Amino acid sequence: MVILFIWILLSVSLVIGCIKVHNTIIKGLFGVLAGLCITVLCFVGIFYYLIVFKVSNVDTSVSSDGEYSLTMQAVGEPLFFGSADGQFILKKGEKRISKVKFSLRDDGGNISQDTWHVTWKKNQVEIIICGEEQNDEQFLLFFDGKYKINELNTKYGKTLDELNEIAEEQTEEENTKYDEDGYPMTEEYQRYKKELAEVSDYIQTKSDVFLDSYPDTKYQLEFRLTSKGWPFAVINKKIDENTGAVTELHLLYNESHIDEEMDEYVLQEYYYDSDNTEAASPAIVDFFLIQKDTLKVTDENTKEWH
């Protein structure tokens, strides 16, 4: 601020000098210097306005009856990873009820629609703002113009223990290694692979259902994961030469089967059009149980979920 004041005095002095001095060369020099100083002052003034004073609407929420509106505004811009300043404007129709200022510490981030969560209540509106470098902050704006601010013991709606648990899970996932089939190199998933291979071998060598329905079928074992991360394998694939339609046999781990000693796998037939879109709902072929320790397979001989 002192430097800015000195710069203004210098600009004024140069302008006065340009007016008072009669020497053409010196007058011209003063004029050029004054022009440069004024130009710099204009840029500084615009920058200062944008950083400190400029008000812009970020988001607006309206009560369910349409009587009240709440607008979140950004005031200026955060500078060098500092906090961002903002304000809430609560209105009834066109009449302003209250204006409440706030600061957001979000690692230099701007105020955005994701900054707040609004809940309209009978006599007030509740606002929760969230930032990376702060606990959640609650603002209660009452319809009579009063307001109250509370710092909560949560961050992004979660307690410290919940956040630590999520961080540990993310770290564990980041450190997880995967094999050539995309399966995590954990004891659990490598067990699934062994069981899938064992059940698949049983189906194609000992299962009457498979041998009768799929004679002269070539052995196939393609490990995959569902969208939810559950293991399955494609053990057979047929392509209709005329239509290009595809029928696949999927051997899927049944995540709903809870047993300490055995896992359950369901054999299903999947149907696809030539463009790989699903043509019909999958059909159950059979269920199989496998001992976790001995890998002994048992054919359940059923097509019903149980």
Side-chain angles (χ1 to χ4, degrees):
M1 187 62 70
V2 174
I3 296 176
L4 181 60
F5 181 70
I6 294 173
W7 199 268
I8 293 174
L9 287 179
L10 178 61
S11 300
V12 172
S13 300
L14 288 171
V15 171
I16 294 174
C18 183
I19 296 173
K20 296 289 187 180
V21 173
H22 298 288
N23 186 292
T24 304
I25 297 176
I26 297 178
K27 188 181 187 73
L29 180 61
F30 277 5
V32 171
L33 292 176
L36 289 174
C37 288
I38 293 173
T39 301
V40 171
L41 277 176
C42 289
F43 279 111
V44 170
I46 293 172
F47 178 77
Y48 191 73
Y49 166 77
L50 294 175
I51 294 298
V52 179
F53 295 111
K54 183 184 177 183
V55 176
S56 55
N57 293 340
V58 177
D59 199 10
T60 298
S61 177
V62 180
S63 62
S64 58
D65 59 7
E67 188 174 1
Y68 296 91
S69 66
L70 178 70
T71 300
M72 178 171 62
Q73 297 178 329
V75 181
E77 296 282 344
L79 187 62
F80 302 121
F81 298 97
S83 61
D85 293 325
Q87 59 191 24
F88 302 118
I89 305 296
L90 177 63
K91 290 184 177 181
K92 182 178 182 180
E94 295 299 321
K95 181 181 179 182
R96 191 175 79 180
I97 298 174
S98 60
K99 178 174 74 172
V100 179
K101 296 183 178 181
F102 69 93
S103 292
L104 175 70
R105 301 186 301 278
D106 194 25
D107 199 22
N110 291 315
I111 295 171
S112 68
Q113 292 179 343
D114 297 329
T115 297
W116 72 345
H117 177 76
V118 180
T119 304
W120 290 94
K121 300 184 178 181
K122 183 178 180 180
N123 298 314
Q124 67 198 60
V125 58
E126 179 192 57
I127 310 156
I128 305 293
I129 64 168
C130 307
E132 184 66 30
E133 299 175 289
Q134 66 177 62
N135 284 352
D136 295 341
E137 201 165 6
Q138 179 194 58
F139 292 77
L140 299 175
L141 275 59
F142 298 92
F143 297 156
D144 62 1
K146 298 178 182 178
Y147 66 89
K148 187 177 181 181
I149 304 174
N150 301 308
E151 183 176 341
L152 306 179
N153 293 322
T154 59
K155 194 169 184 178
Y156 296 106
K158 299 185 182 298
T159 64
L160 181 60
D161 290 340
E162 290 173 328
L163 289 171
N164 288 335
E165 184 177 342
I166 292 172
E168 289 175 2
E169 291 176 354
Q170 291 176 340
T171 300
E172 183 178 344
E173 184 176 345
E174 291 172 357
N175 294 333
T176 300
K177 296 182 179 180
Y178 297 86
D179 63 19
E180 67 279 2
D181 296 305
Y183 275 45
M185 293 291 291
T186 61
E187 182 179 348
E188 181 183 23
Y189 274 88
Q190 294 306 305
R191 186 189 84 237
Y192 292 149
K193 288 190 71 174
K194 291 179 181 179
E195 292 178 349
L196 281 168
E198 196 69 27
V199 176
S200 176
D201 183 67
Y202 176 91
I203 290 171
Q204 299 188 62
T205 58
K206 300 177 183 179
S207 172
D208 293 335
V209 173
F210 184 81
L211 295 175
D212 293 341
S213 303
Y214 300 87
D216 304 323
T217 298
K218 292 182 179 180
Y219 181 83
Q220 178 180 345
L221 184 62
E222 182 183 342
F223 294 107
R224 297 184 189 176
L225 292 171
T226 68
S227 59
K228 294 183 178 180
W230 295 110
F232 77 99
V234 179
I235 67 172
N236 179 252
K237 186 175 184 178
K238 292 181 181 179
I239 301 177
D240 189 299
E241 295 181 358
N242 297 320
T243 65
V246 178
T247 302
E248 291 182 350
L249 272 177
H250 290 193
L251 183 61
L252 301 101
Y253 172 75
N254 182 12
E255 70 273 12
S256 63
H257 178 82
I258 307 299
D259 193 305
E260 293 184 0
E261 298 180 355
M262 292 185 293
D263 284 329
E264 185 176 59
Y265 290 84
V266 55
L267 183 64
Q268 288 184 290
E269 209 168 43
Y270 279 72
Y271 312 99
Y272 302 95
D273 289 327
S274 57
D275 60 358
N276 207 35
T277 58
E278 193 168 322
S281 299
I284 297 175
V285 178
D286 203 353
F287 284 85
F288 300 88
L289 290 174
I290 183 170
Q291 294 280 346
K292 294 181 181 179
D293 52 355
T294 65
L295 298 182
K296 180 182 177 181
V297 180
T298 302
D299 188 340
E300 296 185 81
N301 292 307
T302 180
K303 294 185 178 182
E304 302 294 331
W305 285 104
H306 50 278

